[in-house]
Amino acid sequence: MKTANKTVTALRLVQDALAKAKALEDYHVFTFLNEENALKKARALDARIKKGEKVGRLAGVPYALKDNFMSPEGPTTASSKILESLISPITATAVAKLEAEGAIMIGRTNLDAFAHGSSTENSYFGPTKNAVDPTRVPGGSSGGSAAAVALGIVEFATGTDTGGSIRQPASFNGVYGFKPTFGTISRYGVVAMASSTDCVGFFANTPEDIDLLMTITAGRDPRDHTTLPDFYGVSPENTADVVPDQFADVTSAQPAGAVLAQSDAVTSQLGAATTAQSADIQSAGTDTSQPAGNVSSQPAEDSSSQPANSPAIPFASLALDKSKKCGIIKDFDNDAVDPEIRRALQKQCKLLRQNGVEIIELEMPMLKYALAVYYIIVPAEVASNLSRHDGIRYGYRAEDARELGEVYRLTRTAGFMPENRRRIMIGNFVLSSGFYDAYFLKAQKVRTLIIREYARAFEQCDFLLTPVAPNPPFKFGEKTADPVAMYLEDVMSVPVNLAGLPGLTIPVGTTKTGLPIGLQLVGPRRSDRELLAFAGAIATMRKDAK
Amino acid sequence: MEITKQSVEHLAELSNFRFSPAETERLRTDLQSIVTYISQLDELDTAEVEPTFQVFEMENVWRADEILPQDADREALLALAPEVREQQIKVPPVLGDGGGA
C-alpha cells in the first residue's frame, strides 16, 4: 500500500481519495465523507514526517470504513433509520488499531441495514452500484466497502462477514475480501448482528495488503471476550497447543476442565503482551474521541519491537507450495451454479494441477443444509441482538407515541427496514416455545454435522476451493420480491461462518460480458496466514500463466 | 408448518412491531416461504447429535470483578438519548395515557 513520506504527502493521498470519492458520487459508495477530519489528520501526520518522527505502518493510507464500525467520526448508522443520527462516543478496537498505525478514514460505506442482505438494496439510504457494471448490485452487505476498493477510491476498506458479507461483494466487484477465523479480530464497537458468526475483515487489492491489515488488527481484546488468544503472525512455538481446538478431534469431546486449565496458561503466557497492547489501544481510542487534529500527535506504536512475531511473508517472490492439497466440493458443482463460474473453477484447478498442486474431489452432503441452518440461527441471534434498539437510550424515537409500549412498537416498525423486520420475526418464531426444539435446537445440531464434515475434509486437504456465490452480480430489483431467492445467493458462503473458518475471495476473471468472478479459498481454523500466503502464490502463478 | 395471520400477529407482538393488515399479509407470505425452506432440516435424523451453539473455543473467560475505565462517561451516554431531563432519560408514561402515573 502507498504510505505517506516526505515526497508523497498524506495530504496528497487523502485529497486524491476524497476527489475520487466525489467524482464517483453516483455509485453511492459512502453514507458519510470524513473530509474535514481526514484533511486535518493528514496535515498533522505530514508535520510529523517532516520532523523525522517515526510513523506507523499505514501512515497516511486513506481507507473506507463500513458504516457499522463505531467511532466519533460521523454517525454510525448501520445504514438504518433507527441509528441515523447516532454519533458514537466510543471507537471500535479495529478502528483504533488502524488509526494508531496512521491510516486515515475518508468515509463510511453503505451496507444493507444492520448488514442484513446480499445486495445493499436493503440500505435505508438506497443501494450502492456495482463498480464494474452500475446497472447491477455490488453484493452485500458490505457493498459500499467492496465498491470503494474496486473503484480505486481507497486501497483498503473494512467489512463485516456474518454469512458472506465480505466475500460475496468482493467477488461481485473483482477484489480480494477476507473473513478471518471466528474470534481473530475484536468486535468491540461493531454493531452486532449474529454473535456466533459475525467477523471483522477486509477488502484490498492483494493478499499481501490483507496480511498487513491482519497483522495490525488481529489479537485478543480485553473488551471482547470472544477474541481468541493471539495467533495471527505469532511464531508457532508461541502458539502451539495453547488453544485447545474443540473440533480437532470430532469424535471425543474435550473435558471442560482441561480446556479451562489450558486457557489459563494462555492468559499468563500472553499476559505481558496483551497488557502492553491494550494500553496502546486505549490511548488510541482516547485520541480519536478528541478533536481530530490531535490524533496523530501520539507517537506511533513501534510494531517491530513486538516479540515472538513470525517473519513477514515474502509475498512478491512466493512460489506455490506443491505439498499443499486443494479440495473441491462436488456438491457445489450442479446446475444451480452459473456455468461460467463452474468453468472458472475448473480452469483454476487445471492451472493448480499444472503447477504441481494436487486437487482432490470431496463429497460434503451436509453443506446443502447450511443455508437452512443459517436462516434459523442467524435470525434468532438477530432478534436477540436487535431487541436493544428500542428508541429509549439512543437513535431514532417515534414522536407520536403516547405511552412506552407504543414508543417501542412505533420506533422499531419505522426504524427498521423490511428485511430487518423479517429476520426479527423469523428469529422470534424459531425461538418461541413449541418451535424451539424443531427449529432452533435442530439447526444447532445440524451445525455440528457441518463442522464435522469440514473437519473430515481438512484431514484430506489443506484448503477448499469453491465458488463464492452461485451467480455473477445480478440486476437491481431482480431478487427483492422473493426473500428466499435472495437468501440462496448465500448458499456457498454461509457454511464457512457456521463453522467459524477463515474464507478468502480471490478475483479470477470475468464472465463473457465482463462481470467479475471470484472464487473462495477456505481453510481450517487459524490457518488464516497460510491461506493468504497460498492466495499470494496463486496470484503469482496466474500472472506467470498469462 | 402453516403460517397464519394470527401467528404473524403474535410474532409482531413478541417483536414489538405494529403492522397494517396489508403488511401483515405480505409478511405472512414471506414467512411462509422462509419457514417452508428451513423445514427441510426435518429430513435429517439428529437424535444422537450434540448441538453447537458457538464456535469459539474457550469455555469461559474470567476476569477480576472490578470496574474498569470506560470509553464513554455518563454525560456522553446521556447525550445520545432522544430526551433527557435532570440527568435521566425521559420517556412517555409507562401506564396507558399517564392518567394514574
Side-chain angles (χ1 to χ4, degrees):
Chain A
M1 272 180 282
K2 226 182 285 154
T3 52
N5 53 40
K6 276 181 181 156
T7 34
V8 183
T9 61
L11 188 63
R12 171 77 189 280
L13 293 176
V14 167
Q15 279 172 334
D16 281 358
L18 285 166
K20 275 184 213 156
K22 285 180 189 165
L24 297 165
E25 216 171 42
D26 285 352
Y27 284 85
H28 193 226
V29 168
F30 296 99
T31 54
F32 169 77
L33 268 189
N34 194 30
E35 194 164 3
E36 204 182 314
N37 278 351
L39 292 172
K40 251 191 226 171
K41 284 180 175 177
R43 286 195 184 97
L45 189 71
D46 284 334
R48 288 180 50 208
I49 292 173
K50 217 173 164 185
K51 274 191 260 169
E53 284 178 34
K54 186 171 165 51
V55 289
R57 288 172 283 181
L58 297 172
V61 178
Y63 75 100
L65 187 67
K66 187 178 181 181
D67 196 14
N68 58 352
F69 285 78
M70 292 183 193
S71 83
E73 295 183 290
T76 304
T77 71
S79 288
S80 73
K81 178 184 171 73
I82 204 160
L83 297 181
E84 193 179 6
S85 58
L86 177 73
I87 308 270
S88 168
I90 68 151
T91 301
T93 300
V95 175
K97 285 182 167 184
L98 293 170
E99 302 260 338
E101 292 286 349
I104 297 175
M105 190 269 276
I106 63 140
R108 293 177 162 275
T109 61
N110 197 23
L111 62 145
D112 289 293
F114 287 97
H116 301 175
S118 315
S119 69
T120 73
E121 287 165 294
N122 299 329
S123 165
Y124 175 62
F125 307 113
T128 295
K129 291 174 183 169
N130 187 290
V132 177
D133 179 350
T135 68
R136 292 172 189 270
V137 303
S141 66
S142 318
S145 282
V149 174
L151 289 168
I153 298 170
V154 287
E155 283 198 86
F156 82 91
T158 69
T160 54
D161 190 316
T162 303
S165 281
I166 289 175
R167 289 159 289 151
Q168 185 252 23
S171 177
F172 276 19
N173 291 278
V175 296
Y176 285 89
F178 186 51
K179 169 227 168 309
T181 298
F182 181 78
T184 307
I185 301 177
S186 169
R187 301 182 292 181
Y188 175 74
V190 178
V191 178
M193 176 182 167
S195 303
S196 83
T197 66
D198 285 350
C199 279
V200 168
F202 298 101
F203 296 89
N205 295 311
T206 67
E208 185 174 11
D209 286 351
I210 293 175
D211 177 59
L212 175 62
L213 297 166
M214 289 300 299
T215 307
I216 288 166
T217 53
R220 191 175 219 177
D221 179 6
R223 291 167 193 225
D224 175 1
H225 281 186
T226 61
T227 42
L228 293 167
D230 299 2
F231 72 92
Y232 194 94
V234 178
S235 294
E237 59 267 27
N238 289 294
T239 50
D241 302 325
V242 295
V243 185
D245 191 338
Q246 67 187 94
F247 307 115
D249 181 358
V250 293
T251 47
S252 70
Q254 198 155 8
V259 175
L260 268 182
Q262 289 185 49
S263 51
D264 280 349
V266 176
T267 316
S268 54
Q269 192 173 343
L270 297 177
T274 314
T275 316
Q277 205 177 11
S278 67
D280 277 340
I281 297 163
Q282 234 167 330
S283 59
T286 316
D287 254 352
T288 32
S289 62
Q290 286 168 0
N294 295 340
V295 170
S296 331
S297 62
Q298 172 206 349
E301 180 187 350
D302 187 358
S303 45
S304 56
S305 70
Q306 227 173 33
N309 276 3
S310 59
I313 300 174
F315 273 93
S317 58
L318 262 187
L320 210 54
D321 183 349
K322 288 173 189 169
S323 68
K324 298 283 185 214
K325 289 178 190 166
C326 218
I328 55 169
I329 304 169
K330 274 194 218 166
D331 312 74
F332 282 167
D333 194 26
N334 58 50
D335 291 343
V337 184
D338 184 273
E340 292 199 77
I341 292 176
R342 291 166 76 182
R343 270 201 297 278
L345 178 61
Q346 286 158 8
K347 203 177 141 194
Q348 278 315 295
C349 288
K350 197 177 153 194
L351 209 55
L352 283 166
R353 269 199 205 98
Q354 284 169 353
N355 284 272
V357 171
E358 190 180 343
I359 305 287
I360 297 168
E361 282 199 0
L362 296 165
E363 277 176 25
M364 300 183 70
M366 278 302 145
L367 294 193
K368 67 170 174 291
Y369 297 104
L371 193 69
V373 171
Y374 181 87
Y375 277 99
I376 292 170
I377 293 174
V378 165
E381 295 183 13
V382 160
S384 172
N385 270 326
L386 270 60
S387 64
R388 75 187 70 172
H389 303 293
D390 56 8
I392 302 299
R393 289 151 299 156
Y394 49 81
Y396 163 79
R397 181 191 288 183
E399 278 144 24
D400 39 356
R402 288 156 305 171
E403 44 93 14
L404 189 66
E406 222 172 47
V407 172
Y408 298 149
R409 288 189 293 274
L410 298 184
T411 299
R412 287 166 59 80
T413 307
F416 287 123
M417 295 296 283
E419 180 60 21
N420 304 139
R421 302 197 296 249
R422 266 195 292 269
R423 292 197 191 194
I424 291 168
M425 297 276 281
I426 286 289
N428 283 324
F429 170 77
V430 298
L431 288 172
S432 55
S433 59
F435 300 118
Y436 178 90
D437 284 358
Y439 291 97
F440 187 68
L441 190 62
K442 178 92 183 181
Q444 303 286 21
K445 289 179 169 187
V446 181
R447 182 184 206 170
T448 304
L449 299 177
I450 291 166
I451 291 167
R452 283 186 196 163
E453 201 162 76
Y454 274 116
R456 275 195 293 270
F458 290 127
E459 282 167 14
Q460 298 170 65
C461 67
D462 298 282
F463 304 114
L464 291 164
L465 187 63
T466 80
V468 180
N471 294 298
F474 43 91
K475 297 257 184 190
F476 289 104
E478 203 178 309
K479 294 178 194 286
T480 42
D482 177 2
V484 175
M486 187 70 91
Y487 295 171
L488 282 166
E489 283 305 302
D490 306 337
V491 70
M492 292 155 171
S493 51
V494 298
V496 177
N497 297 76
L498 292 172
L501 307 173
L504 173 73
T505 288
I506 54 176
V508 295
T510 59
T511 63
K512 281 195 195 87
T513 56
L515 299 173
I517 297 179
L519 295 176
Q520 176 179 221
L521 209 51
V522 178
R525 305 160 68 74
R526 294 191 302 282
S527 69
D528 302 55
R529 208 163 192 219
E530 293 76 26
L531 194 74
L532 288 166
F534 193 65
I538 291 179
T540 314
M541 171 194 86
R542 287 172 50 80
K543 232 179 276 160
D544 295 345
K546 265 176 197 164
Chain B
M1 174 74 215
E2 200 200 331
I3 303 293
T4 61
K5 179 172 162 259
Q6 285 71 31
S7 43
V8 175
E9 285 165 353
H10 175 59
L11 289 171
E13 204 180 302
L14 292 176
S15 310
N16 266 317
F17 290 139
R18 179 185 290 172
F19 297 124
S20 69
E23 285 165 325
T24 301
E25 175 50 26
R26 172 74 208 262
L27 268 163
R28 195 193 62 74
T29 323
D30 286 350
L31 264 52
Q32 182 65 70
S33 71
I34 296 167
V35 169
T36 303
Y37 183 82
I38 61 180
S39 296
Q40 62 174 287
L41 297 187
D42 292 347
E43 295 166 29
L44 294 168
D45 178 8
T46 52
E48 304 296 316
V49 183
E50 285 294 312
T52 303
F53 292 100
Q54 49 94 4
V55 291
F56 183 60
E57 296 135 342
M58 314 297 282
E59 284 295 305
N60 202 350
V61 179
W62 301 96
R63 71 164 177 85
D65 183 17
E66 57 192 18
I67 298 170
L68 300 175
Q70 300 297 309
D71 284 353
D73 58 16
R74 183 186 171 87
E75 278 65 39
L77 292 173
L78 277 172
L80 302 176
E83 219 181 331
V84 174
R85 208 174 72 191
E86 293 164 24
Q87 291 282 296
Q88 315 255 4
I89 294 171
K90 187 169 181 288
V91 294
V94 176
L95 300 169
D97 59 4

